[in-house]
Amino acid sequence: MCFSVLAASALAGVSAVTATAAPVAAAAASQPSGPAVTGGHHTCRLDTEGAAWCWGLNDFGQLGDGTEERRYTPTRVATDLTFTSLTLGRNHTCGVATDGAAWCWGRNEFGQVGDGTTVHRNTPQAVLGGEAFSSLSAGFFQTCGLVDGPAGQVSCWGRNNTGQLGDGTKVNRSTPAPVVGGQTFTSVSAHFGYSCALDDSDQAWCWGRNDMGQLGDGTFTGRTVPGPSAEGHDFASLIGPSGTHSCGIDTDGVTWCWGSNRYGQLGIGDDSVVGSPTPLEVITEESGAFTSVSAGGGYHTCGINADGEAWCWGGNVIGQLGDGTTVDSNRPVQVVLEDGIELVSIDTGIYHSCGVDTAGDAWCWGSGGPGQLGDGTHTSSSTPLKVADFQDSEDVDASTEPAAG
């Protein structure tokens, strides 16, 4: 896939809330907490106080530290905001603050930061509209959120060239726009050019790009409004963000994937199937059933079983499967964890993967050139490396005030 950087310009007359540039003394770092969340080439994680820390590529300010410098170890996001969750797109980052407000930063030429502009942001910006969110999901160039208010409402913003915002148009939005259709959703997952959600009956709905069958409706036809996906399956969870394939764990604990299978990312053990517009069951004879699954940015998928073992499948050109090789696999292969390490969460980026173990330590593997493995180096690894501890941050911006836009 090829991506271009577009010139950005602010929308006149729009005001935003931005973290100011005045540094304050940083408090001592608390301990890491929760999952390590991966993006295109960066990774983020919360600490026990709800402060956000990020590392890796930072060319659009996606680390949120007020710079565009790469970071090879966790660096605190420049704000005094505390978050309950984070989500990472290809080059932007968003979080739900403790009051339910959405904040985003990083690449923004399509409005995916949601602050009413198309200006890249290297510190957190308030998403306009005044909505509170219970969860967010950042796709490649769009963001979607489950609104904490009207029952089951989803709003999306950012790029909309394939209808991935679900508002019935193909018009980009720099502020949240409600997904149309009237469904009552319980979760939402943004992907590359498309989005999916679960309703209150465990049914999947998808909209946007469908050239690889990633909408799961048996066709290769895209749409600008939600339509039923993977009919006949009741899902406990849908997986995202991804590039060209989708996965879900059904209410019986079976993992299904659909869409592109170019690198074996559907996990069905058959290279002759280049893609499927309907769900196919992932092979789990060796791994056992998965309790959670994460689909990467189009090329690989990983899951955790009940024993805390990690298994991955699909593209492996930079070791993102974590099995000690760089050989693609069309069925799950076991990640080579140190003896005694059991994972409780896993997340996959485009070319790297990360997991958190029962002791709260994060481990990452795959591409490490921009520093997204967080071990203090810029090298890649085909087996997991331990992420460096959170250290006292350099002086960071920890204040917010209105700024004219």
Side-chain angles (χ1 to χ4, degrees):
M1 290 179 288
C2 179
F3 302 93
S4 61
V5 179
L6 305 181
S9 60
L11 298 179
V14 178
S15 63
V17 177
T18 182
T20 65
V24 297
S30 62
Q31 296 300 308
S33 178
V37 187
T38 60
H41 303 281
H42 71 298
T43 312
C44 296
R45 195 181 182 195
L46 296 178
D47 67 21
T48 52
E49 302 300 321
W53 297 70
C54 296
W55 57 96
L57 191 64
N58 196 26
D59 50 346
F60 294 98
Q62 57 263 48
L63 303 189
D65 66 347
T67 77
E68 287 78 43
E69 298 178 12
R70 296 181 180 187
R71 305 293 185 179
Y72 300 102
T73 58
T75 301
R76 188 178 167 193
V77 173
T79 179
D80 63 354
L81 291 165
T82 54
F83 299 94
T84 59
S85 64
L86 298 172
T87 181
L88 279 58
R90 181 174 175 85
N91 299 112
H92 76 290
T93 307
C94 295
V96 177
T98 50
D99 63 356
W103 294 74
C104 297
W105 55 96
R107 187 172 182 172
N108 193 33
E109 77 268 38
F110 301 111
Q112 58 264 49
V113 167
D115 66 344
T117 79
T118 51
V119 176
H120 306 318
R121 302 292 194 175
N122 61 20
T123 56
Q125 309 294 310
V127 173
L128 299 185
E131 292 176 319
F133 293 89
S134 57
S135 65
L136 297 173
S137 179
F140 271 43
F141 302 115
Q142 89 271 25
T143 311
C144 293
L146 185 66
V147 178
D148 188 10
Q153 176 63 54
V154 166
S155 290
C156 297
W157 55 98
R159 194 175 191 184
N160 199 26
N161 63 314
T162 56
Q164 59 263 53
L165 301 189
D167 65 350
T169 77
K170 292 186 178 181
V171 177
N172 296 343
R173 308 289 185 182
S174 61
T175 59
V179 172
V180 301
Q183 292 83 15
T184 300
F185 293 120
T186 59
S187 67
V188 63
S189 179
H191 306 259
F192 177 34
Y194 71 108
S195 305
C196 294
L198 281 181
D199 68 14
D200 54 359
S201 299
D202 300 325
Q203 300 301 300
W205 297 75
C206 296
W207 56 94
R209 175 185 178 191
N210 197 28
D211 56 314
M212 302 287 184
Q214 55 266 56
L215 298 190
D217 64 351
T219 78
F220 296 93
T221 303
R223 51 176 176 254
T224 61
V225 298
S229 175
E231 290 188 283
H233 296 271
D234 295 334
F235 287 102
S237 63
L238 286 179
I239 313 305
S242 174
T244 56
H245 74 294
S246 306
C247 296
I249 299 176
D250 69 19
T251 52
D252 293 323
V254 179
T255 300
W256 302 82
C257 294
W258 58 96
S260 174
N261 193 42
R262 180 179 178 186
Y263 299 96
Q265 60 263 53
L266 298 189
I268 59 174
D270 187 350
D271 287 330
S272 69
V273 178
V274 296
S276 175
T278 56
L280 299 176
E281 186 175 349
V282 174
I283 295 173
T284 56
E285 283 88 348
E286 295 183 33
S287 64
F290 296 112
T291 58
S292 66
V293 173
S294 177
Y299 308 115
H300 75 293
T301 313
C302 292
I304 299 174
N305 64 20
D307 295 324
E309 297 171 343
W311 294 72
C312 298
W313 56 97
N316 196 29
V317 65
I318 314 182
Q320 59 265 48
L321 300 189
D323 67 341
T325 79
T326 54
V327 178
D328 296 349
S329 178
N330 60 21
R331 61 176 58 223
V333 293
Q334 189 168 359
V335 176
V336 183
L337 293 166
E338 293 184 5
D339 289 344
I341 297 296
E342 297 179 10
L343 297 187
V344 296
S345 69
I346 198 164
D347 202 58
T348 54
I350 296 179
Y351 294 111
H352 78 295
S353 310
C354 293
V356 173
D357 66 24
T358 53
D361 293 321
W363 301 79
C364 295
W365 57 94
S367 174
Q372 66 265 49
L373 302 189
D375 67 330
T377 75
H378 51 82
T379 58
S380 301
S381 177
S382 62
T383 57
L385 299 176
K386 188 177 179 181
V387 174
D389 292 336
F390 289 3
Q391 301 294 328
D392 291 355
S393 173
E394 297 177 358
D395 287 352
V396 297
D397 166 16
S399 59
T400 57
E401 64 180 26

